[in-house]
Amino acid sequence: MGNEESTPIDESVPPQTLTSRTLEGLAEYIKSGKASRIVVMTGAGISTSAGIPDFRSPETGLYANLARLNLPYAEAVFDISFFKENPEPFYTLAHELYPGKYRPTITHSFIRLLHDKGLLLKLFTQNIDCLEREAGVPDDKIVEAHGSFARQSCIECKQPYPEDDIKRHIAAKEIPRCHHCKGLVKPEIVFFGEQLPQAFFENRTLPMHSDLCIVMGTSLTVQPFASLPGATLEGTPRVLINKERVGGLGNSADDVLLLGDCDDGVKRLAEACGWLEELEKLWAETARIVRDEVQLARHETAKSKDEALEDEIDKLTKEVDETLNLSKWHKEKVRSEIMPRSANGAEDAASYGLRSGSRSHEDEKGNLGHVFVSEASKETQPSSTKSVSDRKEDGE
Ligand code: APR
């Protein structure tokens, strides 16, 4: 799947800047203090260990699994003209991808560590999951080249749309409509056919001013993002931390290839720089953030579970009332048609085998089987009259 353009640089060609095109050579360069303006370029591969599939990995990638959305072709889910015709597939996907459910990976925390050390010039990401923000990379250091779920607006009148409303609609798998013109609402994710955000064009020359370029978790398939690593100057070290070689990385004298899982790659690089403990501490903090968010979400669910129980009890009460009303109607009918009018209802009641003095003519199970004896009335109680405790026993 990779798209390496040519064979990697000949081993006999010495690097211009690094002492060697290895992890050690790279760590030595970083520890020397010569790398203080680092640009990072990332794609979906850095979020896969968070549970968010990437796009193009065979079998596991999103595009291999969107068949269930009946798309004319996989990338249509992010195609603006298709979205206008049929927003359903996108909103089905948005339900799965919406931020807040996923914990940043240690790779996201590595980018935050570069910032904390004052070494991050800019992060260019293609991802829309906002995990860089969750990991603590500040807004002014991030260029979300393909937009993100951070903001949403109407595609007709461009009116911003409230975050709480879109969260509610996405959670309920509903299509949000503009409160002003009823137009389709779309998160500010860049669809195929749409212009990249201004911030991308304002920052796309930054790699020329960098002294290290780190590319992680991307196939470098989509332009103009894929041209960013090529915007660095000759002699600027570039490192690819990715499962496969992509985008011509490895062709220049100061390119370092750390092929494999990106979480492993950043841990090895952090260890070589003496930063592993700090990195693991930063990443451990992200568990708390998500735990709070998940607990909040769970609390919401729990509350709704209590409400659901309350609804259940209301429903049950209503059913019992209806049954009792029904029995009252039956009772009136019996009284008016069968039983003779008399002062002492008790005697007559006894002659009909009804327990005298009872509040009503129902037996203790609250049904009228003794009046209208039928096969049906010998059956067990209908499930709806089971008490809440019965339901729990039945695991309902
Ligand atoms: N570790 C390292 N590399 C990984 C990992 C991982 N855990 N998981 C996946 N990868 C690699 C894959 O091998 C692939 O090279 O990450 C890359 C992911 O590539 P894509 O799925 O194409 O994702 P991306 O590059 O972000 O796609 C770019 O395409 O459809 C558009 O808008 C969409 O922003 C997206 C753009």
Side-chain angles (χ1 to χ4, degrees):
M1 193 182 60
N3 55 1
E4 55 276 12
E5 281 132 15
S6 59
T7 49
I9 186 117
D10 188 290
E11 272 312 309
S12 61
V13 174
Q16 283 178 44
T17 309
L18 299 174
T19 52
S20 68
R21 283 190 286 271
T22 61
L23 176 73
E24 291 66 28
L26 183 61
E28 187 189 328
Y29 175 69
I30 292 172
K31 286 189 289 188
S32 72
K34 288 181 194 147
S36 59
R37 291 191 317 284
I38 301 175
V39 287
V40 180
M41 295 140 192
T42 58
I46 71 165
S47 299
T48 49
S49 67
I52 304 174
D54 69 6
F55 293 94
R56 295 174 180 81
S57 281
E59 275 109 55
T60 55
L62 265 180
Y63 291 150
N65 290 288
L66 288 181
R68 70 186 194 290
L69 295 177
N70 316 319
L71 295 164
Y73 56 95
E75 293 179 339
V77 69
F78 291 119
D79 180 295
I80 190 64
S81 36
F82 181 83
F83 175 79
K84 286 174 181 169
E85 292 302 310
N86 177 6
E88 195 84 33
F90 170 75
Y91 273 104
T92 306
L93 192 60
H95 178 76
E96 286 165 31
L97 293 180
Y98 204 78
K101 294 192 277 196
Y102 300 99
R103 175 183 175 183
T105 68
I106 198 162
T107 300
H108 293 101
S109 295
F110 177 76
I111 303 166
R112 156 70 190 274
L113 183 64
L114 291 177
H115 165 69
D116 285 358
K117 289 184 174 295
L119 304 177
L120 181 66
L121 176 58
K122 195 67 83 173
L123 161 66
F124 294 86
T125 182
Q126 298 170 94
N127 297 341
I128 58 177
D129 54 35
C130 298
L131 287 184
E132 303 88 354
R133 295 170 185 276
E134 305 258 351
V137 181
D139 183 60
D140 66 324
K141 288 287 182 180
I142 305 177
V143 172
E144 287 157 330
H146 293 171
S148 80
F149 279 107
R151 279 169 301 282
Q152 50 286 325
S153 54
C154 172
I155 61 171
E156 304 301 338
C157 70
K158 310 301 177 205
Q159 281 285 336
Y161 189 78
E163 181 175 346
D164 291 350
D165 292 359
I166 196 162
K167 277 187 174 172
R168 212 179 39 256
H169 278 84
I170 288 183
K173 295 189 182 175
E174 290 159 356
I175 314 281
R177 288 275 173 183
C178 173
H179 295 315
H180 305 275
C181 74
K182 298 288 168 246
L184 274 174
V185 170
K186 182 177 83 57
E188 285 174 7
I189 292 166
V190 180
F191 275 36
F192 290 108
E194 280 191 314
Q195 185 69 288
L196 269 66
Q198 196 50 30
F200 176 82
F201 299 103
E202 286 161 3
N203 289 282
R204 71 185 304 185
T205 58
L206 272 185
M208 278 169 66
H209 308 289
S210 69
D211 44 31
L212 175 59
C213 171
I214 301 178
V215 180
M216 301 191 276
T218 175
S219 61
L220 288 179
T221 310
V222 175
Q223 293 296 357
F225 187 95
S227 308
L228 286 173
T232 53
L233 298 181
E234 199 60 37
T236 302
R238 302 185 306 177
V239 51
L240 173 67
I241 305 180
N242 202 58
K243 279 188 177 166
E244 54 183 352
R245 251 197 84 212
V246 294
L249 270 293
N251 296 353
S252 299
D254 288 89
D255 283 358
V256 179
L257 298 177
L258 300 182
L259 298 184
D261 180 83
C262 54
D263 291 348
D264 294 342
V266 299
K267 277 190 270 193
R268 285 172 54 217
L269 180 53
E271 189 170 31
C273 294
W275 299 343
L276 187 56
E277 211 174 302
E278 288 171 85
L279 173 62
E280 286 175 341
K281 190 164 158 293
L282 268 186
W283 188 52
E285 286 166 15
T286 62
R288 179 187 50 73
I289 305 168
V290 177
R291 204 175 34 251
D292 295 352
E293 299 222 346
V294 169
Q295 259 156 3
L296 184 68
R298 206 166 282 152
H299 173 66
E300 290 301 311
T301 321
K303 221 171 47 184
S304 59
K305 206 173 257 170
D306 291 349
E307 284 162 8
L309 206 56
E310 230 168 84
D311 292 350
E312 194 58 27
I313 291 167
D314 292 347
K315 202 162 114 261
L316 215 59
T317 320
K318 201 160 140 287
E319 283 170 5
V320 169
D321 283 349
E322 276 160 14
T323 315
L324 290 179
N325 287 338
L326 187 65
S327 69
K328 224 179 265 147
W329 176 78
H330 275 291
K331 208 170 48 185
E332 288 313 316
K333 196 164 164 52
V334 168
R335 187 172 290 134
S336 61
E337 286 174 16
I338 301 173
M339 284 171 65
R341 288 266 164 254
S342 72
N344 173 5
E347 232 168 276
D348 300 326
S351 63
Y352 279 78
L354 299 176
R355 277 181 303 110
S356 66
S358 65
R359 194 173 37 78
S360 75
H361 296 297
E362 287 86 18
D363 65 22
E364 57 275 7
K365 281 219 175 111
N367 68 29
L368 291 161
H370 60 287
V371 177
F372 304 101
V373 180
S374 67
E375 280 319 302
S377 67
K378 291 198 186 87
E379 278 162 26
T380 51
Q381 288 280 348
S383 63
S384 62
T385 55
K386 277 186 181 172
S387 72
V388 172
S389 54
D390 289 358
R391 283 176 185 277
K392 281 211 186 82
E393 269 150 37
D394 294 2
E396 280 185 37

